[in-house]
Amino acid sequence: MAADGHARVAAEGAHGVRHPRLQHHFDDMEQQAEASTLGMWVFLVTEIMFFGGLFMAYLVYRTQMPDAFREASHHLDITLGATNTVILIVSSLTMALAVRSAQTGQPAKTQVGWLVATMVFGAAFLGIKAIEYTEKFRDHIVPGPFFEWHGTYPRGAEMFYSLYFAMTGLHALHMVVGLGIMTVMASLAWRGRFDDTYYTPIEVSGLYWHFVDIVWIFLFPLLYLIGRH
Amino acid sequence: MPNYLTNGHGLASWLLTKDHKRIALLYLASITAFFFLGGMFAFLIRLELLTPAGDVMTSESYNKMFTMHGVVMVFFFLIPSIPAVLGNFFIPIMIGAKDLAFPRINLLSWYVYVLGGLFTLVAALGGGVDTGWTFYTPYSTAASNTHVITAGLGVFITGFSSILTGLNFIVTIHRMRAPGMTWFRLPLFVWSHYATSLIMILGTPVIAITVLLVAVERGLHLGIFDPALGGDPILFQHLFWFYSHPAVYIMILPAMGVISEVVQAFSRKNVFGYSFVAFSSLAIAIIGFLVWGHHIFVAGQSVYAGLIFSILSFLVAIPSAVKVFNWTATIYKGSVSFDAPMLYAFGFLGLFTIGGLTGLFLATVGLDVHVHDTYFIIAHFHYIMVGGAIMGYLAGLHYWWPKISGKMYPEGWARFAALIVFVGFNLTFFPQFVLGYLGMPRRYHVYPPEFQVLNVLSTAGATVLAVGYLLPMVYFTWSIFAGEKAPMNPWGVKGLEWEIPSPPPTENFVVSPIVTHRTHQYAPSKEVGIGG
Amino acid sequence: MSGHVAPKSLYCTVFVTLMVFTGLTVWVAFYDLGLYSNIVALGIACIKATLVILFFMHVRWSTRLTWVVVMSGFFWLLILFGLGMSDYLSRGWVQGTLR
Ligand code: HEM
Ligand SMILES: [Cu+2]
């Protein structure tokens, strides 16, 4: 195997000056960027497993009580769910364009514009989620002592809604964190931190944002669509 | 030039440090504190079991004792022990890097650990938890009236410190190696930490979500494991052990890495079958994820799943045995010296072998029906976690102490302590194999009088063991103030960490090293193995 | 730095495809295809996720290591599901018991 460590010769960069954003323990910008993106991917793997525990619970209970889950899912609003899916996918597009605008060294205003657009869509998603949650509270289908169900399977329905709140709640929490990250990114971009030589933070935040989108891409059919006919 | 210990003074220079070596010492201090806390609980357990009657504490308090003992020792001592202290300190140095890839995340992981520790302390001081370290539902969600949520959140939070450490190691090993430090020149210590990190990042999130769900079920009435809603408590056990079996390898793999280094160093020989030892770490990490069902044989898991998990559990013994054989072959015909680290390594070899073999007994479904939830289990895992992991930790601490502190520890005392630990350990835990086989169940504070002799032996052993652990505490501390100054390479061994001053400078290397061969090449030998 | 810059048009194509699949999955949900309903719904979700990963997340142009990391995440998820379900799906196979 050839030596794939980074040549220390390049320590001072091609032009003999260290990039101001290069941390002391890295040799060059390339090594620093690769470390950050790899770090984010590894983190996303932990996120997959984190949600994975919940998906496992869903899988077990869906196979054990399909009828109850079908009945329970009929109380979810497909229109709102589908709207939210569209909104999140749009936000992923604006996110990808935000990264691209930094990569291509566009002016700070353009970068901030895409980031703010992403945040607006993210907030819209959370708004719609809040409307849905309010309806659940109004209809007493929030698990716990006040849960009421007038169908055939009250126990299974309560389990369905336990999973519903756990999964969408955890997802919403990730959205909130994502909005926080985007706020930081937008303010950094505003101060002109990112250009075509240095855009790793915005790229890495983008990975996180897309991941949260992917989780919803699965939650939508699992909770709203399956057994709907 | 100042070294990492003298470069910066005052509390802030430690609490805000981004130097992996200083962070390692922060971890060393905090896990030592938790080790003694956990030891206190163990002492009270053994004290209660001195007599058959429940005369020291009520059964409720006893339940809390073994729970707090398990939680503290597993999550706050063993899991961080070698990785966060020795791994943190030596991985960057061993691969020729200036630091871990993410120094700030490294510091963050320590703060997260401390925060999780605080939650656990609050739970302990507020009256304790009594669910067992396993937090089994529905007892933990519905019946227990102790501080399950606080303790559960403590475990949840420290989980993230473990994830951050694993993430940092993986990225560091991939991206920060010095020129010429190819994968097949990595010290075996680094390989074993790479495998450990894989488990940390793939397993820990699952226990995180699982204890979070327990907390949410208790606090917010979402009923994921609630049998009243058709929920399945065994699902909790699946999720719990999906992490917690691999987690036992988080504890033992780093110790195996230490032993690989120590055995080579004190036999003055290059390891026998480098690539086998390296790959067996990965094999253990991967196969370790396929066996968790052996903890649920009699809990209600289906018979056929039990069969599958039983067979898969036998498989994991293969890579473990490969390591033991290869270490033995390394020692064979080496010029062996019996310094304290090597004594601990010998202890490890014997005790780990016993622990591993009894694991195979337990993985045999028919036998497990007999000894499940008895003291046999307790003996099995203590042989590995205390006889294996802690012996490995002590071996590493002695081996690298001159490098870490810049001082020599008193060798005579250290050899004496190693002996005491070995004797005390066996006296404590061997009787427990017998007790378990005779049918004494775990987690009870009273027992039939015919078990008393063996229990007294065990408590006596625990006292000896405690002395064995206190001794290093004392002479390590003593050596900081009065020990001889350590030279750069006190053992006369080969490896990057021995080519820089003791203690190392903050930047580790003044000139970045260029690596041309493996470490521990003592005799002129060809570099065997893939890609070397 | 040498990250791959994808053309805007590509992002837009991916976006439109994702929209089409979203519409499709909602539309299909109202037909009873038996077991296939689940397979179609999850299949479409997998395709959408793959598109996001490959293009929006740049994996299409990333190192082999990134591919391995991504795949290992999903592979471990399958270990959890597969071995876990091996218990649930074989419950009660022993006559006269729940096990
Ligand atoms: C050769 C590999 C191993 C095999 C086949 C094995 C097998 C087993 C089995 C079947 C049990 C369940 C017994 C029961 O509860 O009835 C068990 C329990 C346990 N093992 Fe192992 N084991 C192995 C290695 C290890 C290692 C390396 C460690 C720790 C570093 C370990 C730690 C534990 C612990 C902590 C428990 C008990 C957990 C509890 O119930 O509280 N084992 N082992
Ligand atoms: Cu196990």
Side-chain angles (χ1 to χ4, degrees):
Chain A
M1 199 179 193
D4 55 352
H6 288 264
R8 305 275 148 150
V9 217
E12 300 300 303
H15 311 291
V17 275
R18 275 180 88 88
H19 194 284
R21 299 273 160 264
L22 182 58
Q23 290 171 278
H24 82 284
H25 59 296
F26 289 113
D27 295 328
D28 51 43
M29 293 303 277
E30 178 118 11
Q31 186 191 26
Q32 175 169 305
E34 282 178 350
S36 302
T37 35
L38 178 61
M40 184 43 102
W41 274 110
V42 171
F43 177 72
L44 292 185
V45 167
T46 73
E47 288 275 23
I48 293 179
M49 297 309 290
F50 192 59
F51 279 96
L54 270 175
F55 281 99
M56 176 72 197
Y58 173 91
L59 185 61
V60 169
Y61 296 140
R62 169 69 78 170
T63 45
Q64 287 193 338
M65 29 191 166
D67 298 331
F69 271 39
R70 180 172 308 134
E71 183 180 286
S73 70
H74 273 256
H75 257 262
L76 293 178
D77 189 330
I78 286 204
T79 318
L80 290 183
T83 314
N84 254 350
T85 310
V86 171
I87 289 180
L88 264 198
I89 294 178
V90 176
S91 83
S92 257
L93 176 67
T94 55
M95 185 71 238
L97 293 173
V99 175
R100 190 179 183 280
S101 66
Q103 268 183 328
T104 48
Q106 315 244 321
K109 259 195 216 147
T110 320
Q111 300 175 19
V112 173
W114 288 122
L115 286 170
V116 169
T118 309
M119 290 168 68
V120 168
F121 288 114
F125 175 92
L126 284 175
I128 292 186
K129 205 75 232 158
I131 295 175
E132 290 190 80
Y133 276 16
T134 321
E135 284 177 359
K136 304 291 173 296
F137 276 95
R138 189 198 60 208
D139 299 343
H140 295 283
I141 44 181
V142 179
F146 305 110
F147 187 81
E148 278 173 33
W149 190 259
H150 304 293
T152 329
Y153 305 101
R155 289 167 15 134
E158 193 171 346
M159 178 59 83
F160 178 87
Y161 281 100
S162 292
L163 281 168
Y164 169 83
F165 278 103
M167 295 170 107
T168 57
L170 196 65
H171 177 262
L173 203 64
H174 278 77
M175 292 289 300
V176 174
V177 172
L179 286 180
I181 295 176
M182 288 312 145
T183 315
V184 176
M185 286 307 127
S187 81
L188 287 178
W190 184 249
R191 279 180 272 154
R193 273 296 181 88
F194 306 126
D195 56 30
D196 51 354
T197 64
Y198 178 70
Y199 53 83
T200 312
I202 202 170
E203 186 184 16
V204 162
S205 318
L207 291 179
Y208 174 86
W209 189 270
H210 295 306
F211 168 81
V212 179
D213 182 19
I214 290 176
V215 172
W216 183 258
I217 286 180
F218 283 99
L219 287 183
F220 174 56
L222 288 179
L223 295 170
Y224 291 77
L225 296 182
I226 290 185
R228 205 45 196 259
H229 42 269
Chain B
M1 196 170 66
N3 63 50
Y4 83 101
L5 291 170
T6 54
N7 185 10
H9 296 277
L11 201 59
S13 78
W14 283 87
L15 294 182
L16 299 177
T17 181
K18 279 173 264 159
D19 181 352
H20 64 106
K21 300 181 285 302
R22 284 192 166 206
I23 297 171
L25 292 195
L26 292 177
Y27 264 115
L28 177 64
S30 33
I31 69 163
T32 308
F34 275 103
F35 181 62
F36 279 90
L37 182 66
M40 292 298 292
F41 291 121
F43 171 74
L44 290 169
I45 293 172
R46 283 318 317 167
L47 193 65
E48 170 60 65
L49 295 178
L50 199 54
T51 62
D55 30 27
V56 177
M57 59 187 101
T58 59
S59 56
E60 283 80 10
S61 318
Y62 183 79
N63 292 349
K64 292 175 182 168
M65 286 308 138
F66 69 69
T67 303
M68 298 310 300
H69 169 68
V71 168
V72 168
M73 285 301 200
V74 169
F75 297 111
F76 294 93
F77 175 68
L78 272 176
I79 290 197
S81 61
I82 297 180
V85 178
L86 300 174
N88 221 339
F89 200 109
F90 287 104
I91 287 177
I93 299 181
M94 283 178 155
I95 64 172
K98 291 190 188 125
D99 206 323
L100 289 175
F102 308 115
R104 265 177 300 190
I105 289 184
N106 196 16
L107 181 63
L108 177 68
S109 91
W110 181 71
Y111 277 102
V112 171
Y113 168 85
V114 170
L115 183 67
L118 285 180
F119 268 75
T120 308
L121 283 181
V122 167
L125 296 176
V129 203
D130 67 349
T131 58
W133 75 283
T134 46
F135 294 103
Y136 272 14
T137 56
Y139 183 70
S140 60
T141 46
S144 171
N145 54 7
T146 55
H147 298 275
V148 180
I149 296 186
T150 323
L153 288 180
V155 171
F156 175 81
I157 294 169
T158 24
F160 284 96
S161 111
S162 176
I163 289 175
L164 294 177
T165 303
L167 188 155
N168 222 336
F169 285 176
I170 288 187
V171 176
T172 304
I173 296 171
H174 270 289
R175 290 282 176 249
M176 309 289 285
R177 283 172 285 127
M181 180 55 88
T182 58
W183 281 92
F184 291 97
R185 286 179 187 160
L186 284 177
L188 290 167
F189 182 78
V190 179
W191 268 104
S192 76
H193 273 80
Y194 186 78
T196 309
S197 307
L198 288 181
I199 306 178
M200 284 171 161
I201 59 154
L202 289 164
T204 320
V206 177
I207 187 138
I209 188 72
T210 310
V211 293
L212 189 64
L213 287 176
V214 167
V216 164
E217 186 159 338
R218 264 182 93 89
L220 302 177
H221 305 288
L222 297 191
I224 310 276
F225 304 116
D226 186 356
L229 306 183
D232 182 7
I234 298 175
L235 176 64
F236 171 87
Q237 301 186 17
H238 275 299
L239 294 174
F240 180 86
W241 289 111
F242 178 84
Y243 165 74
S244 294
H245 180 84
V248 307
Y249 292 107
I250 295 182
M251 307 176 215
I252 201 70
L253 272 169
M256 291 170 155
V258 172
I259 300 304
S260 295
E261 296 298 319
V262 168
V263 159
Q264 294 182 83
F266 292 92
S267 308
R268 286 294 182 285
K269 246 178 92 188
N270 192 220
V271 72
F272 178 82
Y274 172 93
S275 36
F276 278 89
V277 181
F279 277 120
S280 64
S281 292
L282 288 186
I284 287 176
I286 294 168
I287 304 175
F289 272 101
L290 311 178
V291 305
W292 79 82
H294 64 217
H295 294 271
I296 330 180
F297 284 150
V298 300
Q301 175 181 247
S302 88
V303 171
Y304 288 92
L307 214 63
I308 295 173
F309 279 122
S310 176
I311 294 168
L312 290 170
S313 300
F314 295 145
L315 283 186
V316 84
I318 299 173
S320 313
V322 164
K323 282 193 192 284
V324 173
F325 291 138
N326 285 30
W327 290 322
T328 315
T330 308
I331 298 171
Y332 178 67
K333 287 195 172 164
S335 57
V336 178
S337 49
F338 295 88
D339 297 297
M342 191 61 169
L343 293 185
Y344 281 111
F346 277 120
F348 175 99
L349 286 179
L351 301 180
F352 171 72
T353 306
I354 297 179
L357 284 177
T358 51
L360 289 180
F361 300 179
L362 299 176
T364 317
V365 185
L367 228 162
D368 189 57
V369 172
H370 176 54
V371 291
H372 176 67
D373 264 351
T374 69
Y375 263 83
F376 196 91
I377 310 299
I378 308 290
H380 155 68
F381 68 72
H382 282 89
Y383 261 76
I384 300 181
M385 307 209 296
V386 180
I390 299 187
M391 287 269 184
Y393 175 62
L394 287 173
L397 213 52
H398 283 83
Y399 178 52
W400 282 304
W401 184 256
K403 184 59 59 185
I404 296 174
S405 69
K407 296 294 174 62
M408 299 304 291
Y409 62 82
E411 183 62 37
W413 277 102
R415 291 185 195 185
F416 176 64
L419 204 68
I420 297 280
V421 168
F422 186 78
V423 172
F425 173 82
N426 281 295
L427 191 57
T428 312
F429 291 105
F430 195 80
Q432 298 187 2
F433 275 129
V434 184
L435 280 170
Y437 193 76
L438 295 176
M440 179 168 160
R442 64 193 283 198
R443 295 183 171 171
Y444 285 88
H445 80 315
V446 293
Y447 56 84
E450 63 259 37
F451 292 144
Q452 189 172 11
V453 175
L454 288 166
N455 271 300
V456 169
L457 283 180
S458 181
T459 299
T463 318
V464 178
L465 190 56
V467 174
Y469 288 145
L470 283 171
L471 278 174
M473 257 300 271
V474 174
Y475 60 71
F476 278 145
T477 316
W478 173 86
S479 77
I480 293 176
F481 300 104
E484 227 179 280
K485 235 180 109 36
M488 184 187 265
N489 188 357
W491 311 115
V493 292
K494 300 203 171 148
L496 281 182
E497 77 269 34
W498 303 111
E499 291 169 19
I500 57 174
S502 316
T506 301
E507 295 271 280
N508 296 343
F509 300 96
V510 183
V511 184
S512 291
I514 294 179
V515 182
T516 52
H517 52 76
R518 268 186 211 147
T519 54
H520 296 295
Q521 300 282 343
Y522 297 103
S525 76
K526 51 194 181 340
E527 219 178 323
V528 282
I530 309 165
Chain C
M1 260 165 51
S2 56
H4 179 92
V5 182
K8 264 189 185 166
S9 59
L10 179 66
Y11 284 142
C12 291
T13 317
V14 171
F15 171 74
V16 171
T17 320
L18 287 171
M19 284 297 134
V20 170
F21 274 115
T22 307
L24 189 67
T25 192
V26 173
W27 178 69
V28 164
F30 291 97
Y31 293 87
D32 185 1
L33 308 176
L35 192 61
Y36 291 105
S37 286
N38 301 357
I39 295 176
V40 170
L42 286 177
I44 291 180
C46 288
I47 295 174
K48 284 164 70 182
T50 312
L51 287 174
V52 174
I53 292 174
L54 284 182
F55 297 103
F56 285 173
M57 298 171 91
H58 298 174
V59 169
R60 168 90 177 66
W61 307 284
S62 296
T63 57
R64 216 173 35 179
L65 178 63
T66 312
W67 285 79
V68 173
V69 173
V70 178
M71 295 308 286
S72 67
F74 290 103
F75 181 72
W76 252 260
L77 202 59
L78 288 182
I79 293 181
L80 174 63
F81 292 171
L83 279 173
M85 289 313 282
S86 80
D87 173 17
Y88 287 97
L89 296 178
S90 62
R91 288 270 176 96
W93 281 10
V94 177
Q95 287 275 305
T97 71
L98 292 173
R99 308 178 54 209

